[in-house]
Every structure is written in structure tokens, then in C-alpha cells.
């Protein structure tokens, strides 16, 4: 099979109907990319309304390459308008002493990417999705996934929705994963959790003790990270001082629960810099923070269903710890690879397309899952008395940030398809570490 590069295709030109379940970053990207590749798309989302709480998402060059094609650049322009306007990332110890300063070029997407509020990014994606006229069902709960040799679909109550394939992008707690992968997926809580908070800067603007973060930002946004024993605090501003964010990575069990941010204040009570951080953290509105257990587990054995007409993508397939900084990015890569694989294979070979997509994506995401665990261990074990980080991960490895997932599909689809047909393993030629 010879595969030649194509651009966006006319709507519904492929004859393939794709059902996307879940409209987080991966699901929204999958719907948009499938539309771009000429597939008819139907979207289902459990939540009846848009998105609220969340922290920052960093979009790096490997995902930006995909987004640049959306809406003749309109999506990128919207992201640029709302991105964090940073010029440095600063690292401190628990005394507040500056240890590291890393330049950050907010205008260079391929080098440093875009940093946005999660809810803002989803609003931008959703607005673009709606502009394409794609069918969207919200406030619906999928009760069953099913497939035959020639179709797949879901049940929503008594209603049956049918398509040529189903793409489950319903997140880390995916309801479709077990039915699609055939594998129990008991998430394993790590030895850590994370508080995350986002609120309007006006909340603290008049507070003389808490508003230091706004003054620190100056005419740019700011991003400060404080490392102590078993604790990492990140704090900064977003959207040109319009919002304050902070997060606290820790080793306590999130399930123990708390109805306030007091545990965070307890974590840092012995830090000399606590007098600076505590006033800001304590002013967080009750509705604007959460404490979540962090989950990871070994990679699934497979992403594709028995008959090859259903696949999991994004966090449903490969949950990352936030330390990897690649959750949304890899969901976007999944989206582009699945959509293009379907275009190349065509309506008569949908199972081949989904299985090729899995082969092209599996090793890369597994490597990034491993990297996330390494980054977590590093961040929670910083000892400034011994020089800080005992082992430093490369900040911008070429295999991760310079990867072009669309180019990879064009270059490797044929060989991956042969591996599918022959029932053999496949290691992609690009997109994974060389060591």
C-alpha cells in the first residue's frame, strides 16, 4: 500500500461514521480531527454543561502541530489570546530562596508551547467543534458499548446509536474501557495526590498579604515552584493577571478528605516561606479547589476491541501523572492518528485502521507514562542540602516534543498494517526514546 499525504477532506466524504464518547481534550480533538478527515461525527458527553474547575494545561510542539491546522489558524489565535504571558519559570526552596530560573518564550509554540487554563482550552475547542456543525449530545449516560462485524455503537437508556466505529475518550475513569479492552482496569492510587486551585485575581487583589503574587507578575504572568520535602507548591497568575492558580503535590491519601485547604497549610507550616504562601492559599474560594488522588498503572494490553470497531484514546487508554506534562498533548496525538488512519484505510477497513493506530501510538504513550512516574519521584524527593534534584530529566527531549504524529502515520501506516495482518508485534520507527 502506498500512502500519500492529503489535507483536510470535504465533510462526510469518507462514508465513515464515528461515534466519540467524552468531550475532554482527547474527545474534542478526536471529533475535530475526524471531521477534518471527512468522517461524519457524533459526540456524546455525560456532563450537561461546560467545564468549570481545573488547573493549567501545557500544550507542547508535538500537539501544536496538529492544532495549527484547525480553522485556518483560528484555534491557535484564540489560544494565543488567552495563554499565560510568561517569560520565566522560577524555582525556589522552602525558604523562598531562588534556585533556578528558566526562560520561557510564550511566542514560540514549538519551543515552549502554550500554557492555558484547562477550562479555557476546552471552551476554545468546543466552540470550534460547534462551528463545524458536528452533532453533539450532552447530559447523556452511555449504558453499554457493543459491536458487530460491520458496525459498532452504544446504548443510551433505551436508545441505540450506531456508527462504523466507537472512540471512547471518556477519561481516566472510563466506563467503556473494560468492555473495549477486555481487561479489568483497577486504577492504582500512587503515593501522592494533588490540590489544584484556580480563582479570579480580584479575590485577593485588595489583600495586602495575599496580593504579592500579582505584584510579582509585573507586566507578565508568573509561575513559581517551591520544592520541599515530599511537597511541591506551584503558584502563579494566568491570562495577564486575571486569574490566580496554585497546586500542591503531596504524599497524603486524598481519599481521607477535607472540606478546606487547611491540610495544605499544615503541610507547609514549618516552611520559612509559609508566611508568604499561606495568606494566598487560605483565600481560595471553597468552590475553586479540589484534592485528587493521582492514578497510574501499567499500560493496557490492548486498546482495540475484539472485532476491531472500538478503541480507547486519551486518558481512557493511557492515564498519565500530571508530572509528565503530556496528558492533553497525547490525547491530541491519538486523535490525529486515529482520524488519519481511518481516512487511509477507508470505510471497508475500519478495524485495520484502529489496530494500526494502536500500534503507532502504544509504545510512545507507554514511554511517556514511565517518564511521568520518574518526574513524580524526582519532584517529591528534592533535597536542597544535597544539591537539589538527584536526577534531572531532560526538559525538552527531542523524541517527545519534536515528534510529528501525522508525518509518522504517512510514513509508517503500511508497515504497521502489515504487522496487523500478520499478527506480529510492531515497534514504531519514531516517537519513542532511542535508549
Amino acid at each position: 500500500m502506498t500512502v500519500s499525504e492529503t489535507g483536510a477532506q470535504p465533510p462526510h466524504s469518507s462514508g465513515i461514521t464515528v461515534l466519540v464518547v467524552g468531550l475532554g481534550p482527547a474527545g474534542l480533538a478526536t471529533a475535530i480531527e475526524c471531521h477534518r478527515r471527512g468522517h461524519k461525527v457524533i459526540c456524546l458527553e455525560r456532563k450537561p454543561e461546560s467545564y468549570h474547575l481545573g488547573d493549567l494545561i501545557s500544550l507542547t510542539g508535538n500537539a501544536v502541530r496538529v492544532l495549527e491546522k484547525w480553522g485556518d489558524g483560528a484555534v491557535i489565535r484564540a489560544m494565543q489570546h488567552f495563554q499565560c504571558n510568561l517569560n520565566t519559570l522560577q524555582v525556589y526552596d522552602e525558604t523562598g530562596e531562588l534556585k533556578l530560573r528558566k526562560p520561557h518564550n510564550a511566542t514560540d509554540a514549538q519551543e515552549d508551547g502554550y500554557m492555558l487554563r484547562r477550562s479555557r482550552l476546552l471552551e476554545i475547542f468546543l466552540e470550534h467543534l460547534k462551528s463545524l456543525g458536528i452533532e453533539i449530545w450532552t447530559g447523556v449516560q452511555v449504558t453499554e458499548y457493543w459491536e458487530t462485524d460491520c458496525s459498532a455503537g452504544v446504548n443510551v437508556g433505551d436508545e441505540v446509536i450506531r456508527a462504523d466505529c466507537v472512540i471512547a475518550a471518556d477519561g481516566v475513569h472510563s466506563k467503556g474501557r473494560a468492555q473495549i479492552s477486555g481487561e479489568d482496569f483497577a486504577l492504582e492510587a500512587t503515593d501522592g495526590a494533588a490540590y489544584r486551585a484556580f480563582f479570579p485575581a480580584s479575590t485577593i487583589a485588595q489583600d495586602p498579604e495575599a496580593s504579592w503574587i500579582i505584584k510579582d507578575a509585573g507586566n507578565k504572568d508568573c509561575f513559581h515552584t517551591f520544592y520541599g520535602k515530599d511537597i511541591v507548591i506551584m503558584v502563579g497568575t494566568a491570562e495577564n493577571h486575571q486569574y490566580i492558580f496554585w497546586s500542591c503535590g503531596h504524599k497524603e491519601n486524598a481519599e481521607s478528605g477535607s472540606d478546606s485547604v487547611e491540610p495544605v497549610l499544615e503541610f507547609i507550616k514549618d516552611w520559612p516561606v509559609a508566611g508568604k504562601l499561606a495568606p494566598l492559599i487560605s483565600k481560595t474560594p471553597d468552590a475553586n479547589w479540589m484534592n485528587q488522588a493521582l492514578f497510574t498503572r501499567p499500560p493496557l494490553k490492548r486498546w482495540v476491541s475484539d472485532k476491531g470497531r472500538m478503541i480507547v484514546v486519551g486518558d481512557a487508554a493511557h492515564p498519565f501523572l500530571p508530572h509528565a506534562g503530556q496528558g492533553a498533548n497525547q490525547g491530541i496525538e491519538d486523535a490525529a492518528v486515529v482520524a488519519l488512519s481511518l481516512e487511509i484505510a477507508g470505510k471497508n477497513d475500519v478495524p485495520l485502521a484502529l489496530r494500526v493506530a494502536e500500534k503507532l501510538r502504544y509504545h510512545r504513550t507507554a514511554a511517556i507514562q514511565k517518564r511521568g512516574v520518574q518526574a513524580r519521584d524526582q519532584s517529591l524527593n528534592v533535597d536542597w542540602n544535597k544539591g537539589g534534584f538527584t536526577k534531572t530529566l531532560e526538559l525538552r527531549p527531542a523524541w517527545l516534543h519534536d515528534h510529528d504524529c501525522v508525518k509518522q502515520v504517512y510514513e509508517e501506516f503500511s508497515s504497521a498494517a502489515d504487522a496487523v495482518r500478520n499478527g506480529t508485534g510492531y515497534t514504531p520507527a519514531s516517537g519513542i526514546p532511542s535508549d
Side-chain angles (χ1 to χ4, degrees), residues 14-228:
S14 74
I16 298 172
T17 299
V18 176
L19 182 58
V20 178
V21 181
L23 290 180
L28 288 164
T30 298
I32 293 167
E33 279 293 296
C34 283
H35 178 84
R36 285 190 67 250
R37 296 297 175 181
H39 316 318
K40 178 182 178 181
V41 181
I42 302 170
C43 299
L44 304 180
E45 167 56 42
R46 176 177 56 84
K47 296 178 182 178
E49 298 179 355
S50 190
Y51 314 87
H52 300 288
L53 193 58
D55 55 0
L56 290 180
I57 285 181
S58 177
L59 292 179
T60 48
N62 47 302
V64 170
R65 289 182 183 86
V66 175
L67 306 182
E68 286 172 340
K69 304 293 197 308
W70 293 3
D72 293 324
V75 170
I76 289 292
R77 289 192 293 275
M79 288 166 48
Q80 290 171 335
H81 181 74
F82 289 110
Q83 70 174 319
C84 291
N85 185 20
L86 296 167
N87 59 15
T88 60
L89 305 176
Q90 294 165 287
V91 175
Y92 301 83
D93 65 12
E94 63 268 34
T95 73
E97 179 184 347
L98 180 65
K99 293 292 187 178
L100 298 169
R101 185 191 299 268
K102 178 185 179 297
H104 183 280
N105 186 352
T107 63
D108 188 343
Q110 295 304 325
E111 179 64 29
D112 286 323
Y114 301 114
M115 204 175 292
L116 296 94
R117 290 195 297 132
R118 182 181 191 275
S119 56
R120 181 71 74 190
L121 180 70
L122 294 178
E123 287 168 3
I124 292 170
F125 282 13
L126 183 59
E127 182 178 345
H128 182 58
L129 182 72
K130 290 179 177 178
S131 75
L132 300 175
I134 292 172
E135 184 177 348
I136 305 171
W137 298 31
T138 58
V140 296
Q141 181 67 57
V142 173
T143 54
E144 184 179 358
Y145 291 76
W146 55 265
E147 67 178 340
T148 68
D149 289 335
C150 57
S151 65
V154 300
N155 295 348
V156 176
D158 295 330
E159 186 149 13
V160 177
I161 305 175
R162 185 181 302 272
D164 293 294
C165 64
V166 173
I167 302 175
D170 51 345
V172 67
H173 298 289
S174 172
K175 302 299 183 183
R177 182 168 45 219
Q179 294 182 58
I180 293 172
S181 71
E183 181 180 343
D184 290 334
F185 196 90
L187 289 168
E188 300 172 3
T190 71
D191 60 349
Y195 281 83
R196 297 170 178 175
F198 232 114
F199 55 91
S202 58
T203 305
I204 62 168
Q206 303 307 314
D207 187 306
E209 291 187 304
S211 60
W212 63 267
I213 189 68
I214 301 173
K215 297 181 178 67
D216 268 20
N219 61 359
K220 295 278 188 177
D221 284 314
C222 65
F223 192 120
H224 302 323
T225 305
F226 298 82
Y227 288 96

Side-chain angles (χ1 to χ4, degrees), residues 329-343:
N329 294 283
Q330 292 309 304
I332 292 166
E333 286 191 22
D334 288 347
V337 171
V338 169
L340 180 52
S341 295
L342 284 167
E343 179 193 348

